[in-house]
């Protein structure tokens, strides 16, 4: 029995979307017969090859269940026990992971002001210039998200400047790439140009937000940056016994350019949504639309009417700004219907 309308799509999160048909087919294909467990299977081995093709021959792949797990595993392996992590105030690992880096990895998270979600060299330099020696947390890793929690994107020049500044002070750089595909689509650049080539040490490649089911992969780009990560992954309960299923999903995305096609489509729908909402009385896009997120003001009465048909998130406590997310399966009809309803609600008395 169906428990939802399979034709309904909302704007609350790209996590709300189902699996892409090619990912679902890959799972079905991987389901037959017996293969070895814990990553000693042909799918996991092929994934390692694909990751090396995309990010460089030194790249090593460690699939995990989810984005929080990817962040915890990577940071646990990258930072010493006395280390801390520098990240923007709006970073997902700070605001939306229930303290997992602190609780599970035992790492102090040091937050710094950001520029529409992006860390700047000036903010990084300021936090690194402070401290009281042994009495202060010792910054060890800089954690960036690409795209950021506000849907903005770092350019290669931005990233090179940040990694250069971090490495000059002896820090490693981790990139939370849950939406890296969307950033690459926006910049029209290969994954390597935003990771290996700009000095990132460890990155996670997203799958769950781009057509997969609980499949992410931590990729170590500098082997010396995350020694023992295979043991950390097991200790942090992120090593799957039936690893072929995560690998099969990630292969469906990254062995071809499906990852790019899906992200590009989601981005285009976000641009369409932003352009449509800009014509609605009282609506104003407040953050540049560079990935698949739209942050906008919507009058309270209009928002209330829209929530009768769609779900989306308040971004500010007073509800004056909301976040709308587009996904790989968002259609032009979905966007246009939402914009039309916003127009109608803004001109109709309630």
């Amino acid at each position: 029995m169906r428990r939802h309308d399979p034709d309904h799509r909302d704007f609350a999160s790209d996590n709300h979307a189902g699996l892409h048909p090619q990912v679902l087919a890959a799972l079905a294909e991987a389901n037959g017969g017996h293969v070895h467990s814990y990553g000693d299977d042909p799918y996991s081995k092929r994934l390692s090859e694909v990751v090396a093709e995309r990010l460089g021959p030194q790249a090593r792949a460690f699939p995990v269940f989810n984005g929080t797990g990817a962040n915890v595993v990577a940071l646990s392996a990258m930072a010493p026990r006395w280390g801390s992590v520098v990240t923007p105030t709006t970073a997902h690992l700070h605001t939306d992971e229930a303290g997992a880096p602190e609780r599970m990895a035992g790492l102090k998270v040091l937050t710094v002001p950001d520029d529409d979600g992006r860390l700047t060299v000036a903010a990084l330099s300021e936090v690194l210039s402070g401290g009281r020696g042994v009495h202060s947390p010792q910054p060890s890793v800089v954690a960036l998200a690409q795209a950021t929690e506000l849907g903005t994107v770092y350019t290669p020049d931005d990233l090179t400047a940040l990694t250069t500044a971090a490495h000059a002070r002896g820090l490693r750089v981790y990139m939370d790439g849950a939406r890296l595909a969307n950033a690459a689509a926006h910049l029209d650049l290969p994954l390597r140009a935003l990771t290996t080539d700009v000095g990132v040490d460890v990155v996670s490649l997203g799958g769950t937000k781009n057509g997969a089911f609980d499949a992410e992969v931590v990729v170590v780009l500098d082997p010396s940056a995350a020694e023992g990560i295979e043991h950390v992954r097991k200790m942090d309960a992120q090593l799957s016994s039936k690893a072929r299923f995560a690998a099969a999903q990630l292969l469906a995305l990254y062995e071809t350019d499906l990852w790019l096609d899906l992200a590009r489509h989601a981005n285009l729908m976000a641009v369409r949504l932003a352009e449509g909402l800009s014509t609605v009385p009282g609506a104003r896009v407040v953050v540049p639309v560079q990935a698949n997120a739209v942050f906008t003001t919507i009058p309270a009465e209009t928002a209330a009417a829209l929530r009768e048909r769609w779900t989306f998130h308040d971004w500010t406590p007073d509800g004056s700004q909301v976040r709308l997310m587009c996904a790989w399966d968002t259609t032009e009809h979905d966007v246009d219907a939402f914009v039309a309803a916003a127009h109608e609600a803004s001109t109709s008395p309630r």
Side-chain angles (χ1 to χ4, degrees), residues 206-249:
T208 308
K209 291 178 170 61
N210 201 26
F213 166 65
D214 286 349
E216 315 284 313
V217 56
V218 177
V219 182
V220 178
L221 301 174
D222 181 348
S224 68
E227 295 179 356
I229 191 170
E230 61 273 20
H231 304 293
V232 171
R233 180 175 56 158
K234 176 64 175 178
M235 292 169 59
D236 286 346
Q238 287 289 322
L239 175 61
S240 173
S241 59
K242 297 185 178 181
R244 59 170 150 166
F245 295 108
Q249 295 178 71

Side-chain angles (χ1 to χ4, degrees), residues 12-327:
S13 174
D14 38 12
N15 286 321
H16 286 203
L19 278 65
H20 187 273
Q22 288 178 233
V23 174
L24 194 57
L27 278 171
E29 178 186 347
N31 193 46
H34 285 206
V35 299
H36 288 184
S37 57
Y38 297 108
D40 187 21
D41 63 84
Y43 300 93
S44 297
K45 292 174 182 176
R46 177 55 185 152
L47 177 63
S48 294
E49 295 172 352
V50 169
V51 165
E53 292 165 6
R54 294 284 186 189
L55 299 178
Q58 79 296 335
R60 299 169 61 206
F62 300 89
V64 295
F65 293 112
N66 52 45
T68 298
N71 290 343
V72 169
V73 168
L75 295 174
S76 296
M78 295 178 72
R81 187 65 183 85
W82 58 89
S84 61
V85 177
V86 180
T87 199
T89 302
T90 55
H92 190 277
L93 69 87
H94 170 60
T95 63
D96 289 277
E97 295 185 350
E102 289 97 341
R103 182 174 179 83
M104 298 184 67
L107 298 170
K108 173 70 174 178
V109 175
L110 300 174
T111 60
V112 296
D114 56 79
D115 176 19
D116 280 341
R118 291 171 294 235
L119 179 66
T120 65
V121 171
L124 176 61
S125 299
E126 183 174 351
V127 74
L128 295 182
S129 65
R132 297 176 53 244
V134 71
H135 302 286
S136 300
Q138 302 301 301
S140 302
V141 180
V142 175
L144 313 171
Q146 176 78 312
T148 72
E149 191 71 357
L150 297 185
T152 52
V153 167
Y154 293 94
T155 67
D157 287 345
D158 294 334
L159 294 170
T160 298
L162 284 165
T163 59
T164 299
H167 291 160
R169 298 292 295 268
L171 280 70
R172 297 293 192 173
V173 178
Y174 168 65
M175 177 180 285
D176 176 349
R179 295 188 178 98
L180 178 57
N182 301 93
H186 172 73
L187 295 169
D188 194 23
L189 289 171
L191 295 171
R192 178 166 178 156
L194 298 175
T195 54
T196 309
D197 293 348
V198 293
V200 172
D201 296 301
V202 180
V203 62
S204 65
L205 292 184
T208 308
K209 291 178 170 61
N210 201 26
F213 166 65
D214 286 349
E216 315 284 313
V217 56
V218 177
V219 182
V220 178
L221 301 174
D222 181 348
S224 68
E227 295 179 356
I229 191 170
E230 61 273 20
H231 304 293
V232 171
R233 180 175 56 158
K234 176 64 175 178
M235 292 169 59
D236 286 346
Q238 287 289 322
L239 175 61
S240 173
S241 59
K242 297 185 178 181
R244 59 170 150 166
F245 295 108
Q249 295 178 71
L250 293 163
L251 280 175
L253 291 172
Y254 290 102
E255 194 168 28
T256 66
D257 281 340
L258 181 61
W259 65 274
L260 180 60
D261 295 338
L262 300 184
R264 183 178 287 135
H265 173 78
N267 288 4
L268 288 172
M269 292 303 97
V271 170
R272 186 183 186 94
L273 179 60
E275 290 175 347
L277 289 174
S278 69
T279 66
V280 174
R284 180 175 61 88
V285 175
V286 295
V287 178
V289 178
Q290 298 179 335
N292 60 324
V294 178
F295 292 83
T296 183
T297 60
I298 296 182
E301 298 82 0
T302 303
L306 292 170
R307 284 194 170 94
E308 294 176 4
R309 293 174 56 188
W310 293 276
T311 57
F312 48 90
H313 290 306
D314 288 336
W315 195 250
T316 54
D318 62 0
S320 61
Q321 293 182 19
V322 301
R323 186 194 74 169
L324 304 165
M325 296 296 301
C326 294

